Amino acid sequence: MIKRIAAVAALIPAMLGTTAGSVSAHSAPKATAAVVTLTYDASQAGQWADAIKQAAQNWNDAVQNVHLQPASSPGSADYVYKATDGWPQSTVGPVFPGGSGEVQLGQEAVNEGYDLTRVATHETGHILGLPDDYDGPCSEIMSGHGPGPSCKNTKPDAAEAAQVDQNYAAGPSATRPKTHQVVIDIWHNPALTPSH
């Protein structure tokens, strides 16, 4: 009986080692020693305020190496959200503390029927350094308008979260891009365009 207990006891670490060693292909990198905190100003965002709050929460729930929070004062924000009449557009990051990113949340996307939180989460993804992937499925937040206005997913997928964590893995001391591009996202539903 003692030999059987000893044999089972010897197998347990080996069995645990095989399962503990398996890692998902989309596992997020471990958090850095110093998480990068980015602050934002939503004081000029009007009707988008709740969507911005939820978008920040969606990213904070998905990533480990960067944390989004409202700025203590508008002038101290690393990036700003503004409501506009046009199409949504954003600075393409990654933006770091002391940065000057901007997200313009355009009414045109609302007029086309897109979910406000999806738009805000997508545009925030650009601030965090993610490009568009319009050919992607609805489950990817960076597929943006690609899946059409019926897509209501507002959360980044595991691969997108892993890329953002990689973008901020070096922490606050990371080398920052000297210039940023601005991407204009035309949240347009081709099915609504009349044919000629």
Side-chain angles (χ1 to χ4, degrees):
M1 180 70 146
I2 295 175
K3 286 184 182 180
R4 282 188 197 160
I5 293 172
V8 170
L11 285 175
I12 291 173
M15 289 170 36
L16 290 175
T18 58
T19 56
S22 64
V23 177
S24 166
H26 295 294
S27 292
K30 293 188 186 238
T32 59
V35 173
V36 175
T37 299
L38 288 181
T39 59
Y40 63 85
D41 170 19
S43 63
Q44 301 173 61
Q47 71 174 340
W48 295 87
D50 289 340
I52 291 165
K53 185 176 179 181
Q54 186 59 56
Q57 186 62 53
N58 291 349
W59 281 110
N60 287 340
D61 289 346
V63 299
Q64 300 176 38
N65 294 341
V66 63
H67 179 77
L68 307 177
Q69 67 185 39
S72 57
S73 64
S76 67
D78 300 314
Y79 69 99
V80 298
Y81 291 98
K82 295 180 180 179
T84 69
D85 292 334
W87 294 106
Q89 59 183 318
S90 296
T91 303
V92 178
V95 170
F96 282 87
S100 59
E102 183 173 290
V103 175
Q104 294 186 16
L105 296 167
Q107 183 63 34
E108 291 291 335
V110 177
N111 295 347
E112 291 282 339
Y114 288 94
D115 182 89
L116 275 71
T117 303
R118 179 169 173 79
V119 174
T121 306
H122 172 92
E123 298 303 327
T124 303
H126 289 312
I127 290 289
L128 300 174
L130 297 179
D132 287 313
D133 182 15
Y134 296 138
D135 293 329
C138 178
S139 59
E140 289 180 5
I141 200 66
M142 298 315 291
S143 64
H145 70 272
S150 64
C151 175
K152 304 299 182 194
N153 172 46
T154 63
K155 297 185 178 184
D157 72 9
E160 292 167 323
Q163 181 60 55
V164 168
D165 275 331
Q166 184 177 345
N167 291 348
Y168 291 92
S173 63
T175 304
R176 291 156 173 84
K178 292 187 184 347
T179 60
H180 289 290
Q181 294 180 318
V182 173
V183 63
I184 299 172
D185 287 313
I186 299 181
W187 291 70
H188 179 64
N189 182 1
L192 298 177
T193 304
S195 58
H196 296 289

